[in-house]
Amino acid sequence: EVQLVESGGVVAQPGGSLRISCAASGFNFDDYAMHWVRQTPGRGLEWVSFITWDSVSISYADSVKGRFTVSRDNGRKSVFLQMNNLKDEDTALYYCTRGSQLGDVQYFQQWGQGTLVTVSS
Amino acid sequence: FLLTQPHSVSESPGKTVTISCTRTSGNIASNYVQWYQQRPGSSPTPVLFEDRRRPSGVPDRFSGSVDSTSNSASLTISGLQTEDEADYYCQSFDSDNWVFGGGTRLTVL
């Protein structure tokens, strides 16, 4: 069974930093790209970042570019999102999602339960 | 670009409902469209990918299409069941950017 378990969501101050993690199991982690997607009641679902299986290709939404950094550790079957210079609008439920294999159309095949990040003073 | 969906739709059990997803700029057919179902309190799950393909386990009551004339994609659910009541999101891609529609709340009453 595919499992994606996010952790690390907390209350953080504006301008602060936070690192959230996602532990994967139940599939060959090395074969898949990974994404972070966030959700808020007001703005719905928003794609945040993408990383290929080998970390060679990485993309970010304009709203987080220059502030967030995605990384992965295939040996630990984990993906991370380092979030710096946090803003109020970063408050959201952050989902770790499994993308597609190399050569396939990228979409969000599997989703974790999410970790809640709240930015507030 | 944006993907525009109706805010809500409702239909009776056993009936058929169609949810639209209109791309505001660029050609809808230039990138595949996916659809996700999110039941209350749960994470989204894909119900269609590559416009019309169903992931394993999704019943064939779910179908998809793309119409270049209206520059929109559609999700059609036939034989509605109460368990289909959920939020549905369309999603597509362009230039290293994955975009979601605003979501449509389906009420089965």
Side-chain angles (χ1 to χ4, degrees):
Chain A
E1 180 194 5
V2 173
Q3 282 199 317
L4 299 168
V5 179
E6 302 92 338
S7 62
V10 295
V11 177
Q13 292 198 332
S17 296
L18 183 61
R19 188 198 201 204
I20 58 177
S21 304
C22 169
S25 61
F27 64 99
N28 192 352
F29 186 71
D30 296 15
D31 285 345
Y32 290 87
M34 299 295 292
H35 299 256
W36 288 96
V37 176
R38 65 188 182 184
Q39 185 171 30
T40 63
R43 297 197 309 274
L45 292 170
E46 179 185 18
W47 168 76
V48 173
S49 70
F50 158 77
I51 184 168
T52 50
W53 69 274
D54 56 0
S55 303
V56 169
S57 183
I58 289 174
S59 302
Y60 301 97
D62 288 344
S63 58
V64 307
K65 202 171 292 183
R67 300 187 299 120
F68 288 12
T69 301
V70 64
S71 61
R72 65 188 291 164
D73 183 336
N74 287 348
R76 294 165 56 189
K77 297 187 178 182
S78 295
V79 62
F80 310 96
L81 188 66
Q82 176 68 41
M83 309 161 68
N84 296 333
N85 189 19
L86 284 163
K87 303 178 179 181
D88 290 348
E89 53 264 38
D90 295 322
T91 295
L93 184 64
Y94 284 75
Y95 291 105
C96 170
T97 73
R98 191 188 80 179
S100 310
Q101 294 178 289
L102 182 66
D104 292 341
V105 170
Q106 275 300 326
Y107 74 100
F108 314 106
Q109 297 181 344
Q110 301 283 345
W111 298 62
Q113 289 303 305
T115 188
L116 183 61
V117 172
T118 303
V119 182
S120 174
S121 55
Chain B
F1 69 96
L2 299 176
L3 296 172
T4 302
Q5 300 181 234
H7 183 70
S8 62
V9 296
S10 61
E11 190 50 270
S12 303
K15 300 291 189 180
T16 297
V17 70
T18 296
I19 299 171
S20 63
C21 170
T22 302
R23 181 164 172 158
T24 59
S25 63
N27 185 354
I28 189 72
S30 62
N31 299 94
Y32 285 118
V33 175
Q34 283 64 237
W35 291 89
Y36 302 85
Q37 176 192 69
Q38 185 175 31
R39 294 190 175 113
S42 297
S43 304
T45 61
V47 291
L48 293 176
F49 66 101
E50 293 182 9
D51 297 340
R52 63 186 71 239
R53 297 178 64 185
R54 290 185 305 277
S56 175
V58 175
D60 59 7
R61 301 186 297 105
F62 290 79
S63 62
S65 64
V66 170
D67 180 5
S68 295
T69 302
S70 59
N71 213 36
S72 65
S74 295
L75 166 67
T76 298
I77 311 172
S78 60
L80 274 170
Q81 301 179 3
T82 54
E83 67 197 47
D84 299 330
E85 187 160 288
D87 293 330
Y88 291 86
Y89 295 88
C90 61
Q91 173 263 310
S92 191
F93 168 85
D94 193 17
S95 302
D96 277 345
N97 190 30
W98 286 263
V99 176
F100 288 93
T104 298
R105 175 147 298 176
L106 169 62
T107 301
V108 181
L109 36 66

